[in-house]
Amino acid sequence: MASRRKTVPRAVIGRLTKYLTYAQDLCEQKVEWVSSAELAEALGLTSSTVRQDLLHVDFYGIAKRGYRVDGLRQVLTRFLGADAAWNTVVVGAGNLGKALARHGEFARRGFRIVGIFDNDPRKVGSHVNNLRVEPIRDLPGSIVSKKAEVGIIAVPATSTQAVADLMILSGIKGLLNLTLTHVLAPRGVKVVEVRLTASLWELAHLIKSDAGRAARPARG
Amino acid sequence: MASRRKTVPRAVIGRLTKYLTYAQDLCEQKVEWVSSAELAEALGLTSSTVRQDLLHVDFYGIAKRGYRVDGLRQVLTRFLGADAAWNTVVVGAGNLGKALARHGEFARRGFRIVGIFDNDPRKVGSHVNNLRVEPIRDLPGSIVSKKAEVGIIAVPATSTQAVADLMILSGIKGLLNLTLTHVLAPRGVKVVEVRLTASLWELAHLIKSDAGRAARPARG
DNA sequence: TAGATTGTTAATCGATTAACAATC
DNA sequence: TAGATTGTTAATCGATTAACAATC
């Protein structure tokens, strides 16, 4: 009952998404069992961490065999809400916003794009997939009428908080922020930030700070 | 000299990118000083964390005034390698790959896209910005001749590791992986994962697990 | 059975927060 | 000066790893 007692730490949640992906792959390959050691090796973790993490979602294996792949997939799917259908709006119809609206994986994985919005009059009225780009003044009404729960922010950084506030006022439940600017939200509204440029900075730093060291042989 | 003694933890690096973004904004507004308390409030941290983090990059403030914004920006820019020009290739010319290749922010922030690759014959030869989509068999040669150091993976998940291996063999220094699949790389090659669908799963879980609680008043 | 792998406890490690003297 | 905010130490908190008895 660990999952009922306490909230699961974000670091653990992040790894759970990895286990889910891996379990999905194994399922397709008709593999039935997986050990904590295999999961750990495939995902760059320790087997101890894997076992502790699965405790968080009350998923138990069997000594000597490991974990049932299909059960793992099911438990994680439910835990992460990947079985639900989430109505999702995209704000910003630039390169990134359009790409996300068209990104087939989102729809396949349960995030149905029900609207795309922009303030640029040259974009409003154009079509992305089978959606018409709407002006941002229609965003609040759309969130309500289409029962959107998730909002994706893909606008220029200067409009980030304004767009977030508008969605929050309209009752959005969660935001995926793709801009560099941090979003402030009340506790009831969840925010996950995917900061592409910042990720490249992180990568650049890691490359730079490793440059001094001697080149090492491969993998492990 | 803390920065010379030890490597900076990844969690800290993640926050440093936020300080940099915030400092850049303040610079544009001609603000000269910022306190750890203000940084903390704007970015959802504690002032203690901010002060500890800046110690990692040997950046010191002045009691009663705070930190010099421009100095902070400069130090973090250098630390994160945001002042360098990084030659970057994009693999995958689907919706996402094309959007990233066109993403102006990358170029502005020092990541110059010097090539885009795909194996789909319908895409090869088409143009994205002023780049011609090249077949993946040309990727290794291109990495070498164009001195690419950073590779962005935006292919279907099933090809992720193969594409990564190809780039690693060609001498790439860092990979930004945008697929759901974990990438294995030797220690000398840095990997940062930006898992869009997984981020939505995280968001979905946070929304779900919060649903039970009473709605709360805003921000405070 | 013997051996492998779990569930779980304890030890370690690291990161965050608190507190406060130093100081501008 | 008095007050605010730093740099830094110590305390707390949490996450990861190690170890091993339980068990399939």
Side-chain angles (χ1 to χ4, degrees):
Chain A
M1 291 298 134
S3 66
R4 307 266 170 73
R5 273 208 298 263
K6 286 215 161 242
T7 63
V8 178
R10 276 223 187 178
V12 175
I13 298 176
R15 288 192 298 267
L16 293 176
T17 66
K18 297 197 161 185
Y19 305 147
L20 175 52
T21 308
Y22 197 75
Q24 286 173 338
D25 289 352
L26 290 179
C27 264
E28 279 181 21
Q29 295 162 42
K30 308 284 183 205
V31 175
E32 284 189 48
W33 297 88
V34 65
S35 69
S36 57
E38 185 192 338
L39 279 164
E41 201 195 347
L43 304 174
L45 309 166
T46 69
S47 65
S48 224
T49 299
V50 173
R51 293 200 297 282
Q52 293 279 20
D53 285 347
L54 296 185
L55 240 48
H56 277 292
V57 289
D58 291 329
F59 188 71
Y60 295 89
I62 294 175
K64 212 186 153 176
R65 309 206 69 177
Y67 300 87
R68 204 174 261 284
V69 170
D70 194 61
L72 181 59
R73 188 184 57 75
Q74 279 180 41
V75 164
L76 293 177
T77 298
R78 180 153 323 154
F79 181 84
L80 294 168
D83 52 349
W86 299 88
N87 290 331
T88 304
V89 291
V90 173
V91 186
N95 293 322
L96 202 52
K98 280 191 291 189
L100 296 172
R102 290 183 183 128
H103 194 48
E105 194 175 280
F106 285 171
R108 274 201 307 283
R109 306 285 188 170
F111 297 89
R112 201 162 62 99
I113 311 295
V114 296
I116 178 165
F117 300 84
D118 203 296
N119 256 349
D120 185 336
R122 285 166 302 186
K123 287 171 186 157
V124 172
S126 68
H127 282 75
V128 178
N129 280 358
N130 43 11
L131 291 170
R132 181 179 156 276
V133 177
E134 298 172 68
I136 288 184
R137 66 167 178 276
D138 292 349
L139 178 55
S142 247
I143 287 175
V144 175
S145 67
K146 289 173 177 164
K147 296 185 169 53
E149 294 172 305
V150 173
I152 299 179
I153 304 177
V155 296
T158 46
S159 325
T160 302
Q161 190 64 49
V163 163
D165 288 341
L166 195 61
M167 291 201 269
I168 290 167
L169 281 171
S170 314
I172 208 85
K173 290 182 181 163
L175 295 171
L176 187 76
N177 176 27
L178 283 130
T179 75
L180 267 181
T181 303
H182 184 77
V183 164
L184 294 168
R187 264 172 300 171
V189 178
K190 305 303 163 190
V191 180
V192 171
E193 313 214 320
V194 173
R195 303 167 66 241
L196 291 166
T197 301
S199 298
L200 282 173
W201 283 340
E202 282 185 45
L203 188 59
H205 167 73
L206 293 170
I207 293 171
K208 262 178 41 135
S209 61
D210 189 64
R213 292 165 212 199
R216 295 259 180 57
R219 265 180 222 177
Chain B
M1 294 296 135
S3 66
R4 307 269 168 70
R5 275 207 297 262
K6 286 219 160 232
T7 64
V8 178
R10 276 224 186 179
V12 175
I13 297 175
R15 288 194 297 267
L16 293 177
T17 66
K18 298 196 160 189
Y19 305 146
L20 175 53
T21 308
Y22 197 75
Q24 287 174 336
D25 289 351
L26 290 180
C27 265
E28 280 183 20
Q29 296 161 41
K30 308 285 182 204
V31 175
E32 284 189 47
W33 297 88
V34 64
S35 70
S36 57
E38 184 192 339
L39 279 163
E41 201 196 347
L43 303 174
L45 308 166
T46 68
S47 65
S48 224
T49 299
V50 173
R51 292 200 299 278
Q52 292 280 20
D53 285 348
L54 297 186
L55 238 50
H56 274 109
V57 288
D58 291 329
F59 187 71
Y60 295 89
I62 295 175
K64 212 186 155 179
R65 310 206 67 179
Y67 299 88
R68 206 175 259 286
V69 169
D70 194 61
L72 180 60
R73 188 185 58 74
Q74 280 180 40
V75 164
L76 293 177
T77 298
R78 181 155 320 155
F79 181 84
L80 293 168
D83 53 347
W86 298 89
N87 290 332
T88 306
V89 291
V90 173
V91 187
N95 292 322
L96 203 52
K98 279 191 292 189
L100 296 173
R102 290 182 184 130
H103 194 45
E105 194 174 280
F106 285 171
R108 273 200 308 282
R109 306 284 190 170
F111 297 89
R112 201 161 62 99
I113 311 296
V114 296
I116 178 165
F117 301 83
D118 203 297
N119 256 349
D120 184 336
R122 285 166 302 183
K123 287 171 186 155
V124 171
S126 68
H127 281 75
V128 179
N129 280 359
N130 43 10
L131 291 170
R132 182 178 155 278
V133 177
E134 299 171 70
I136 288 183
R137 67 167 178 276
D138 292 348
L139 178 55
S142 248
I143 287 175
V144 174
S145 68
K146 290 174 177 163
K147 299 183 168 50
E149 294 172 304
V150 173
I152 299 180
I153 306 178
V155 297
T158 45
S159 325
T160 302
Q161 189 65 50
V163 163
D165 289 340
L166 196 60
M167 291 201 269
I168 290 166
L169 280 172
S170 312
I172 208 87
K173 290 183 182 164
L175 295 171
L176 186 75
N177 176 27
L178 282 130
T179 75
L180 268 181
T181 303
H182 184 78
V183 164
L184 294 169
R187 261 172 301 172
V189 177
K190 306 303 164 191
V191 179
V192 171
E193 312 214 321
V194 174
R195 302 167 67 241
L196 290 167
T197 300
S199 297
L200 281 174
W201 284 338
E202 283 185 44
L203 188 58
H205 167 73
L206 292 172
I207 293 172
K208 264 178 39 136
S209 61
D210 188 64
R213 292 166 213 195
R216 293 261 179 56
R219 262 177 228 181

